[in-house]
Amino acid sequence: MPIDNAIAFRPVRIAVLTVSDTRTLADDRSGDRLVERLSAAGHILAAREIITDDADRIADRLTGWIDDPQVEVILTTGGTGVTGRDVTPEALARVQEKEIPGFGELFRWLSYQSIGTSTIQSRATAGVARGTYIFALPGSTGAVTDAWDGILATQLDIRHKPCNFVELLPRLEER
């Protein structure tokens, strides 16, 4: 899809949340990959944190960033599988006002190209809460790369045509 270079690039303020019982900043490769990608694209890392697989703690962190005017987009990585400890989609469901079902659908289609039918185990999802976009990605570096390169790089670029998420930011809280 085309980029309209007549439009000035607008950096977006993005928070990255890694959901894991075992990772630290020293070995958070998926979080690192997201930070590398968003920074290389010209966006601003507004915050970064690692939190355990606990739905209450995840929802609280998301709510804090949703309420922070310095955060426009939240990217989570981890906790989107089907095991008992995977609760990121449930935490997101608690705070979102609107789901973006096409994100998960397109993510799984892209992921299928890389990992075949194993993509069915992903519950990647997205939503909007009080003017903030939230994207819940799986915890592998391959998955976050697929999501960023295949969807988010263009949808978080105001120059992307025919439409993108950034141009809608001012209208997300319309009533």
Side-chain angles (χ1 to χ4, degrees), residues 33-34 37 103 106-116 119 137-138 140-154:
R33 179 73 52 92
L34 287 172
R37 290 290 207 269
F103 176 80
L106 180 54
F107 171 79
R108 281 179 285 281
W109 180 81
L110 290 169
S111 179
Y112 180 80
Q113 316 305 311
S114 302
I115 64 170
T119 193
L137 315 175
S140 73
T141 56
V144 299
T145 301
D146 287 347
W148 183 270
D149 294 354
I151 305 170
L152 297 172
T154 53

Side-chain angles (χ1 to χ4, degrees), residues 62-160:
L62 294 175
T63 299
W65 282 344
I66 291 163
D67 292 339
D68 183 343
Q70 295 305 307
V71 175
E72 297 171 294
V73 173
I74 301 168
L75 304 178
T76 73
T77 174
T80 62
V82 297
T83 70
R85 298 285 298 154
D86 292 323
V87 294
T88 303
E90 287 76 16
L92 174 53
R94 290 184 192 179
V95 301
Q96 74 184 11
E97 296 165 339
K98 291 185 179 183
E99 184 181 9
I100 306 172
F103 176 80
E105 295 162 2
L106 180 54
F107 171 79
R108 281 179 285 281
W109 180 81
L110 290 169
S111 179
Y112 180 80
Q113 316 305 311
S114 302
I115 64 170
T117 60
S118 295
T119 193
I120 202 164
Q121 295 179 28
S122 169
R123 297 186 303 138
T125 188
V128 178
R130 295 188 308 282
T132 302
Y133 289 112
I134 308 162
F135 300 93
L137 315 175
S140 73
T141 56
V144 299
T145 301
D146 287 347
W148 183 270
D149 294 354
I151 305 170
L152 297 172
T154 53
Q155 282 299 298
L156 296 179
D157 188 333
I158 197 163
R159 304 169 302 168
H160 176 75

Side-chain angles (χ1 to χ4, degrees), residues 14-20 23-25 28 31 35 45-52 57-58 60-62 64-65 74-77:
I14 302 173
V16 174
L17 178 64
T18 298
V19 177
S20 174
R23 293 187 190 168
T24 67
L25 281 177
D28 179 20
V35 170
L45 179 64
R48 182 176 180 185
E49 191 170 324
I50 297 177
I51 201 163
T52 58
R57 293 190 67 212
I58 297 165
D60 287 347
R61 170 67 344 226
L62 294 175
W65 282 344
I74 301 168
L75 304 178
T76 73
T77 174

